[in-house]
Amino acid sequence: MVRIIWQNRILSLILFIVLIIFFSCQSDKKLLNNPSSQKPETEFVNNLMERMTLEEKIGQLNLYTAGGDVTGPTMNGNYIAKVKAGRVGAVFNALSVSFNKELQRMAVEETRLGIPLLFGYDVIHGYRTIFPIPLAESCSWNLELMEKTAALAAEEAASAGINWTFSPMLDISRDPRWGRVAEGSGEDPFLCSMIARTRVKGYQGEDPESPQTILACVKHFAAYGAPVAGRDYATVDMSERMFRDVYLPPYQAAIEAGASTVMTAFNEFDGVPATANSYLLDSILRKEWGFDGFVVTDFNSIKELNNHGFSENDEMAAILSLNAGVDMDMQSDIYAANLMNLVKSNRIEEKKIDEAVRRILIMKYRLGLFRDPYLYLDEEREKATIYSNKILNHALASALESIVLLRNENYGGGKILPLSKGIKNLAIIGPMGKNKLDMLGCWHAAGDERKVTNLFEGIQEQVSQLNILYSLGCDFEGEDISGFSHAVKTAQQADVVILAMGENDAQNGEAASRSQIGFPGVQSRLIAEIRKTGKPTVLLVMAGRPIILNDEEQQIPAIINTWHLGTQGGRAIAQVLFGDYNPSGKLTMTIPRNEGQIPVFYSQKNTGRPYNPKDRFTTKYLDIPNEPLFPFGFGLSYTQFDYSSLQLSDSIISPQEELVVKVMVRNSGKISGEEVVQLYVRDLVGSVTRPIKELKGFRKILLEPGEIRWVSFTLKSDDLRFYNREMKFVAEPGAFMVYAGTNSAECLSAKFNLIP
Ligand code: GLC
């Protein structure tokens, strides 16, 4: 009897549980179908899309240039008519509130549904106030500074009606022949990933509806920085392992930081152009990383699938791109011209278009544009923001920390740098001496050269009693040496000579690869003539890429790599020259000894015959050493930092434990200075070969004269992960070396073991 009672009780309990599950599913379904439970953005966008015609949906997938800047090979004369017809989702290269307000008015007030436009622009290192080129600023190793730069650039651009920047550019590159290294953050995936997060946070802030933040755009997805022979737009071909270990991490970091959009690269990856590559755009970006923003192509790159030989006509190009996951067509007009017919002929599914439209409309919703389409279009805010002192002051701070001191040897009884403010006559010679436009560097957006403080003005301002002599000497290009004699005479009258040499803003950046990357034109010949005067000389390398110095240039006792520093460049260089700022920059890209070394980078593999200059059968050249001219992480100071006693908390760690690495750093000089202490690791044995060093940490510290500090880092087994033989991202037990030092070539070292 008792058994029967218990059986009944169990049965009724089971029935009760089943009923709970059943009714909860019902309510979930109700919830799902009940719009009020959906996120407001989803509800709003679904509702809007239900009212949109197919033609209006396709209209949202088009991005056209307004021609305010020329950033690609085609223009679009009739984009305004398309805006009025509701056939445009976004416009780029449209500058200023007044101009953009009229375009927005057309979109909102003259179209059937009044869907607002996005306004995009290449705010790569500033909008009007131009900061150092990204490669320069990465040499600051100051993440807080770089985040503030992105935030201020966003604030200034947003005040002018821009709400979307085609930045950060996160293409790792180890080939300085490629002109676009100027826009990146160097050769290292760890550092570039940290910078990626920083810049996305800076641009997007915490509140997408704030009229001081803008959408970020991760580009160029993916691996655009590894074109064969360093030639822009050329083929990219690498192993999946190299891709995952080196080129992919910065994009992933940016997506994890919440980047709202992604731009496809011009290049192919593994034989498939990025603009139609579902492995990149769907498998990795959407499925592995969970990216929920939208994908825009680079300029005209859907059309260029035909050039790639990946599509035989525009219709095919449209099908391949849409099905791969491209949401918005920059400037090619292929979507606008073909999608309607392709849907009607059942060659693409309308739901693919709906997916793309939804992603774009949700971004517009998140920006607050449906609430207020004129949110970013306030003339008063524009006037109050552009070139504000707050932004200009930060541009100076960024420029100062971007400068890298490469040499400061004794000359005539003492170091030339910092210059004494007591000198009477100073000569500035070279094409960057009084140059304003090129100080802005490539991709200088709406920067106004008239606002630039050039080198001459910067020094004049810094040392008012100085008699400054000037001679152009030569241009950036061409063979004209007629200016040499005046330059030599000018040098002969001076106590110190500043050689202001480098590249103009068109000799790097997009479509600006160079096969030889010394000083362009006859600058090296001018340097040689000036050297004959025997005057104390400081060489300023003012370019957008690592410049190879010839043998004579390498011997110049004082060499400063200033890059292109932007609006405040002249002021920053003057402060460094005269010691009002002690340079702290460290190279984030190796400077080769010559082009034959390229690609040359610190994180090399050991090979089976590691380099030994004394052993013939080892990996080396007959004519030069393997070491580059200046290694990754290199940068001098006007003071001296000494490293001693690298200590580990243990020599063995388990996967659950942390290793604390401490290194003692002393400022043994007479002035305070900032030092970037770098931490590297080597996995001595792996299921695949591992690099001889990988950056795993850094600290930028300020030390007073004589100050000693223990600088500590924490390593976990997760920091040791890589793609193993089975392409699993894991850390493998075994022996490791840890290095800490002032650059990738000068480190203290110690050994530890990771146990299973
Ligand atoms: C250019 C560049 C890309 C830029 C775009 C829009 O071709 O490759 O970086 O964002 O066009 O100007």
Side-chain angles (χ1 to χ4, degrees):
M1 182 60 176
V2 172
R3 202 151 62 88
I4 292 169
I5 291 170
W6 269 108
Q7 277 172 345
N8 289 343
R9 283 182 179 169
I10 288 166
L11 274 172
S12 53
L13 182 64
I14 290 168
L15 183 62
F16 176 68
I17 290 166
V18 167
L19 286 172
I20 288 176
I21 291 167
F22 174 74
F23 283 111
S24 66
C25 288
Q26 290 308 309
S27 61
D28 282 355
K29 217 182 285 167
K30 245 209 303 304
L31 275 174
L32 277 177
N33 295 332
N34 167 4
S36 63
S37 68
Q38 290 175 331
K39 283 165 70 173
E41 64 185 32
T42 311
E43 184 180 344
F44 177 90
V45 166
N46 286 347
N47 179 283
L48 174 57
M49 287 183 67
E50 279 163 14
R51 293 180 286 129
M52 292 171 77
T53 65
L54 177 57
E55 200 172 9
E56 287 165 334
K57 290 179 190 174
I58 293 170
Q60 287 301 306
L61 310 187
N62 303 306
L63 167 64
Y64 295 114
T65 178
D69 200 338
V70 178
T71 60
T74 64
M75 297 304 280
N76 208 298
N78 63 344
Y79 78 93
I80 288 181
K82 290 176 179 173
V83 168
K84 289 182 172 183
R87 303 292 177 267
V88 180
V91 172
F92 66 118
N93 297 331
L95 312 181
S96 85
V97 166
S98 55
F99 185 87
N100 292 0
K101 188 177 257 187
E102 176 52 16
L103 283 175
Q104 194 70 300
R105 187 200 60 74
M106 291 175 199
V108 169
E109 296 171 21
E110 294 189 24
T111 65
R112 190 177 75 89
L113 291 171
I115 298 173
L117 297 168
L118 280 176
F119 289 90
Y121 193 39
D122 292 284
V123 184
I124 309 298
H125 52 112
Y127 171 66
R128 285 243 183 251
T129 304
I130 302 303
F131 298 95
I133 55 172
L135 180 60
E137 195 178 54
S138 70
C139 294
S140 72
W141 295 61
N142 184 336
L143 299 175
E144 197 182 317
L145 175 126
M146 288 185 260
E147 180 175 343
K148 188 170 180 184
T149 295
L152 291 174
E155 183 181 341
E156 197 176 58
S159 79
I162 307 290
N163 41 45
W164 178 28
T165 178
F166 304 137
S167 182
M169 185 274 217
L170 299 171
D171 306 322
I172 291 281
S173 187
R174 295 165 158 180
D175 190 332
R177 293 171 297 182
W178 188 53
R180 301 198 77 166
V181 295
E183 306 166 53
S185 295
E187 70 187 57
D188 182 74
F190 178 87
L191 177 61
C192 197
S193 298
M194 306 282 274
I195 293 173
R197 291 185 192 92
T198 288
R199 291 212 165 112
V200 167
K201 271 182 67 187
Y203 287 134
Q204 298 191 161
E206 297 305 320
D207 174 11
E209 287 207 27
S210 157
Q212 295 180 326
T213 60
I214 56 181
L215 301 181
C217 182
V218 177
K219 73 182 187 183
H220 303 80
F221 195 61
Y224 178 38
V228 70
R231 200 171 53 248
D232 204 0
Y233 314 128
T235 302
V236 166
D237 194 4
M238 64 177 70
S239 69
E240 175 75 8
R241 185 181 311 286
M242 171 65 83
F243 181 54
R244 294 253 175 197
D245 275 340
V246 176
Y247 290 84
L248 205 54
Y251 305 118
Q252 181 172 3
I255 299 301
E256 288 169 353
S260 302
T261 68
V262 169
M263 182 185 294
T264 62
F266 288 121
N267 55 280
E268 68 178 55
F269 181 77
D270 196 18
V272 178
T275 301
N277 192 314
S278 58
Y279 174 62
L280 298 179
L281 303 182
D282 188 51
S283 307
I284 295 180
L285 195 55
R286 303 278 179 200
K287 295 192 170 62
E288 270 188 53
W289 297 350
F291 175 62
D292 74 343
F294 72 81
V295 173
V296 63
T297 71
D298 202 340
F299 203 113
N300 199 42
S301 52
I302 296 180
K303 177 85 176 172
E304 291 167 8
L305 295 178
N306 297 330
N307 296 339
H308 276 284
F310 193 69
S311 54
E312 57 192 347
N313 55 43
D314 290 353
E315 284 189 332
M316 183 76 166
I319 294 168
L320 290 166
S321 288
L322 188 73
N323 287 341
V326 167
D327 302 309
M328 188 179 271
D329 169 7
M330 180 191 288
Q331 189 61 18
S332 87
D333 228 12
I334 297 279
Y335 275 8
N338 294 283
L339 291 186
M340 178 66 82
N341 292 339
L342 289 169
V343 169
K344 286 182 175 160
S345 56
N346 295 319
R347 283 181 289 166
I348 55 168
E349 297 174 287
E350 184 167 350
K351 81 174 174 59
K352 294 298 278 183
I353 293 176
D354 288 348
E355 281 170 14
V357 175
R358 177 170 286 109
R359 291 171 182 144
I360 292 164
L361 294 177
I362 281 179
M363 279 308 153
K364 293 184 176 183
Y365 183 94
R366 288 182 187 169
L367 282 173
L369 292 177
F370 286 109
R371 177 172 56 79
D372 175 4
Y374 302 97
L375 181 64
Y376 285 78
L377 298 163
D378 175 336
E379 278 95 346
E380 289 315 305
R381 183 169 62 231
E382 183 180 35
K383 280 198 203 82
T385 308
I386 288 183
Y387 290 127
S388 70
N389 284 335
K390 171 181 76 170
I391 300 176
L392 284 167
N393 292 340
H394 183 75
L396 176 57
S398 173
L400 286 166
E401 293 201 42
S402 302
I403 293 172
V404 183
L405 177 60
L406 296 179
R407 267 173 70 84
N408 190 21
E409 301 299 322
N410 286 332
Y411 185 85
K415 291 188 188 297
I416 296 177
L417 292 172
L419 298 176
S420 157
K421 291 185 178 178
I423 59 175
K424 294 275 179 291
N425 304 294
L426 180 117
I428 298 176
I429 295 170
M432 284 300 287
K434 282 192 172 179
N435 189 299
K436 288 178 176 275
L437 174 65
D438 301 305
M439 184 74 89
L440 293 174
C442 64
W443 290 106
H444 54 257
D448 182 347
E449 62 183 280
R450 294 166 300 178
K451 298 291 281 186
V452 170
T453 300
N454 65 26
L455 178 63
F456 187 95
E457 293 159 341
I459 292 175
Q460 200 168 41
E461 183 184 276
Q462 194 70 15
V463 192
S464 54
Q465 77 280 6
L466 191 57
N467 174 34
I468 307 176
L469 312 166
Y470 168 73
S471 181
L472 172 67
C474 67
D475 198 351
F476 292 104
E477 48 202 351
E479 299 300 316
D480 179 6
I481 61 168
S482 59
F484 282 19
S485 59
H486 178 267
V488 168
K489 288 195 188 83
T490 304
Q492 286 164 340
Q493 297 164 48
D495 306 319
V496 176
V497 176
I498 306 293
L499 291 172
M501 305 291 170
E503 293 177 320
N504 66 27
D505 69 341
Q507 290 172 322
N508 54 79
E510 184 175 356
S513 294
R514 294 173 60 211
S515 67
Q516 293 183 317
I517 52 174
F519 290 113
V522 293
Q523 295 180 71
S524 290
R525 291 174 56 187
L526 173 61
I527 291 169
E529 291 305 311
I530 300 301
R531 293 270 292 143
K532 290 174 187 167
T533 67
K535 292 287 182 180
T537 300
V538 179
L539 173 62
L540 301 181
V541 186
M542 305 168 80
R545 58 158 50 85
I547 293 292
I548 286 173
L549 304 177
N550 65 30
D551 293 347
E552 166 148 29
E553 289 153 355
Q554 292 173 32
Q555 302 317 310
I556 294 174
I559 303 174
I560 306 177
N561 201 76
T562 75
W563 309 108
H564 286 148
L565 292 170
T567 306
Q568 295 277 44
R571 284 199 173 92
I573 299 170
Q575 289 194 27
V576 167
L577 282 170
F578 288 92
D580 293 290
Y581 179 79
N582 182 2
S584 61
K586 299 273 187 177
L587 295 174
T588 56
M589 196 166 181
T590 302
I591 297 181
R593 207 171 282 275
N594 68 31
E595 291 83 359
Q597 276 190 325
I598 296 170
V600 60
F601 47 95
Y602 84 92
S603 192
Q604 300 268 1
K605 296 291 188 74
N606 205 34
T607 77
R609 294 192 170 187
Y611 174 53
N612 174 351
K614 298 185 178 64
D615 180 342
R616 177 180 165 208
F617 297 104
T618 63
T619 177
K620 66 186 187 323
Y621 302 98
L622 291 178
D623 53 342
I624 58 170
N626 282 16
E627 292 87 0
L629 192 56
F630 297 102
F632 175 85
F634 183 88
L636 300 176
S637 169
Y638 289 149
T639 188
Q640 175 65 34
F641 296 104
D642 296 328
Y643 285 71
S644 57
S645 51
L646 177 63
Q647 292 182 8
L648 307 185
S649 56
D650 205 325
S651 58
I652 294 177
I653 60 164
S654 72
Q656 295 70 38
E657 292 170 321
E658 292 183 346
L659 180 73
V660 176
V661 182
K662 289 197 325 181
V663 64
M664 181 182 280
V665 188
R666 178 169 180 271
N667 177 351
S668 53
K670 298 186 175 60
I671 60 171
S672 64
E674 293 163 291
E675 168 71 342
V676 178
V677 181
Q678 298 153 48
L679 179 81
Y680 299 87
V681 164
R682 178 182 179 180
D683 186 347
L684 291 172
V685 178
S687 58
V688 293
T689 58
R690 309 287 298 117
I692 56 173
K693 277 198 183 81
E694 291 179 290
L695 182 70
K696 293 295 179 188
F698 57 90
R699 295 269 189 288
K700 188 165 191 174
I701 59 171
L702 173 67
L703 291 180
E704 297 304 324
E707 184 180 356
I708 296 173
R709 189 175 308 171
W710 280 106
V711 179
S712 67
F713 301 87
T714 302
L715 277 175
K716 302 186 288 295
S717 63
D718 277 1
D719 300 321
L720 308 175
R721 288 176 296 176
F722 64 100
Y723 284 88
N724 70 1
R725 187 67 179 274
E726 290 70 42
M727 287 305 285
K728 298 273 180 291
F729 191 54
V730 295
E732 292 180 348
F736 291 79
M737 294 300 293
V738 61
Y739 304 90
T742 186
N743 64 61
S744 58
E746 296 172 79
C747 292
L748 300 174
S749 64
K751 194 169 184 177
F752 71 94
N753 274 281
L754 174 66
I755 57 175

